[in-house]
Amino acid sequence: MSSLDFKNLPEREEDINFDDIYEKYEVSTENDFDTIVVVDGAPIVDEAKQEKLITVLTKLFTKGAGEIKENGIWMPMTPNEEGKKTSSGYLFIDFKSPESAHSAVKNLDGHKLSKTVTLLVNKFTDVEKYSDMNEEYVEPTIEPYTPKEHLKSALMDLQARDQFVMYRGDDVSIFWNRKTDAPEHVYSRTNWTETYVQWSPKGSYLSTFHTQGIALWGGPSWNKIVRFVHPSVKLIDFSPNERYLVTWSNEPISLARLPETGHPFTEYDEGNQVVIWDIKTGALLRTFPVVQPAGEEQKTVRWPIFKWSASEKHFARVIPGQQLSVYEAPGMGLVGKKSIKTPGIVDFEWSPAKGDSSDPKVYQKEEVLAYWTPEVGNQPARVSLMTIPSKEVIATKNLFNVSECKLYWQNQGHFLAVKVDRHTKTKKSTYANIEIFRINQKNIPVETIELKDPMIAFAWEPYGERFATITTSDPTYGSTPAHGQAQSALKTDVKFFYLDKSKKANAGFKLMKSLDKKTCNYLFWSPKGHNIVLATLRSSTVFDLEFYDLDFEPLASDKKDKNDVGATVQLLSTQDHYGVSDVEWDPTGRYVVTGSSMWRQSADHGFCIWDFKGTLLFKQNIENFKQLLWRPRPESLLSAEQKKKIKKNLRQYSKQFDEDDLAMGDATAAKLHAERRKAVEEWYAWRKATERKLQEERKALGKELQQTDEGKSEAVEEWVEEVIEENEEIID
């Protein structure tokens, strides 16, 4: 401060200039409390352990949230009864950015520092909000109960029919399948969806896509059950038991482009693209960003990003080349609070088995996932099996000269097949191997099946111990056709394998039957097993459909045929459907639908319904046909003993079914006869009305026709008898 001039003192106090004092003792007015969090539940320590606790918390919150300001942790210390200063069980942390404070609340609230210490993290700005809450209990208003429609009411159909949804033009419709008759219409709505429709895994919900999000529909009236706000959503995935829904949008969540109300997103969700919802409550559980490997741009998305375990207790995603992140539901936190570092990891798949003690064939009591890593330098490629949540690796297999791997679980989780695409040392040619892990055996043995040619399709038989493959030695495989030329159908071979359990041979998978010189490129097993459809899809020249039965009993009495395991593989029918693009079995394994969608074909759109033997039951050509999906069924509630009893008395039930079919056929024939009679009567009525009108017009113009016979004509009726059938019977 400059020296005082007593001769020129200000007359009033208001005239005194304090600028130099303000400048020297300036207090920052930046009071942004958004960077501060309050941590409750911290351990109570004395001054001797204060610095150690602050060091531990600094490391934890820096790693889990973000950078902390210098001296940014303040832990109040108060004297106790003995006069020693101890902490109060709470502290304040000041981060360098509000985003780090948000991450601290999101990632570390509920974090277990030890078995007895759980940290509770809240924003400092929320303290005042919670302190202003009314402490007087106000009883909530209970809304009157309104009964809801049964989401699985379709299962009560007396004729045990299956439903399907059809999307054509702008219309979405629900139908009952009626075998050879035209499907029975149930419900329709125009512009019900904007892109496509999708059933939930057990058929409880039908999902429709809209600009603002997803809507789920169900019940006999097909009312809206719940909606999820996620702008520009493109893809969805249900958890196996329909508890959770995952949605993805190519546009990151932006609060600036959303209205202030009517959505569940907060600043925590800004920039994320994946959302996980609770279907029953409609609540948002957590959002995630789409993580791409370093240096790569997001051109495509691998869907589903998150894959669910069979029990829905866990879900996981892979960050290619880096790590596997396994989360627990419904908490949405990482199992063990950290990801599994797995350098080079490419893909993984959960076992369909829940891993409990109810299945004696499964040794593991935890859920199991399989993942693979490629060759890196001198490190071989590797397939590994890991149990969750213990994260114990229970089996591995090293592989060499690997180009690609694909994981296929048998639907009961008893076997894992790994399709291994290999290359020769010169890398000029490729071939395939199949590595089969027997999860239902001790120590999980691995069997290798060598194939000479590249494999383009693989499929396990549901509830069975057989699988099918499609291989090709066609020289055009992998080549791109010249500009303007269509892709020709490949020459392929189909092979069926079975598990040989005979005592004379070592138990292993053996070739059951080989079908050579085919053109099929897709395999479709019946959901009940035994039957399979070999299809040539999305070809411009071939549209073959071959229906096979793998348990057909040979009629020949030749012992050679009886000893041949492949003799039971029987071709039931060969059909074709021009332009076929999709094939799908109904949930019961009785019917197959093939479709030609406008999304893949330029003409001849429509669908066909076949029985499991390949007999055409119904065909309909539909302009702008897009999609047809069977409604899934939940698992049967019948026990194995009850199913066995039904199969034993099937003949007794079949009599009633035959009577019902006959009555239905008679009713259908009577209805058709009535419709034809009505059409004929309408025709004659129209003709007589037209003749009278024409006669009146002629009369008005003076051109009335004159009768030539003037009543002298004579009508003659002639009866012709024809012998249709003649039988002779000798009576004693």
Side-chain angles (χ1 to χ4, degrees), residues 192-212:
W192 201 354
T193 187
E194 296 180 17
T195 51
Y196 61 99
V197 295
Q198 183 173 328
W199 290 107
S200 61
K202 296 182 180 298
S204 301
Y205 307 100
L206 177 68
S207 57
T208 57
F209 291 70
H210 309 274
T211 304
Q212 295 303 319

Side-chain angles (χ1 to χ4, degrees), residues 18 43 89 173 215 238 246 426 461 497 517 547 565 575 587 592 631 691 714 716:
F18 295 100
S173 303
F238 289 87
V246 185
T426 60
E461 178 187 21
F497 292 85
K517 298 180 181 180
F547 295 77
V565 292
Q575 305 289 349
V592 181
R631 185 174 187 175
E691 288 177 349
E714 181 179 358
V716 178

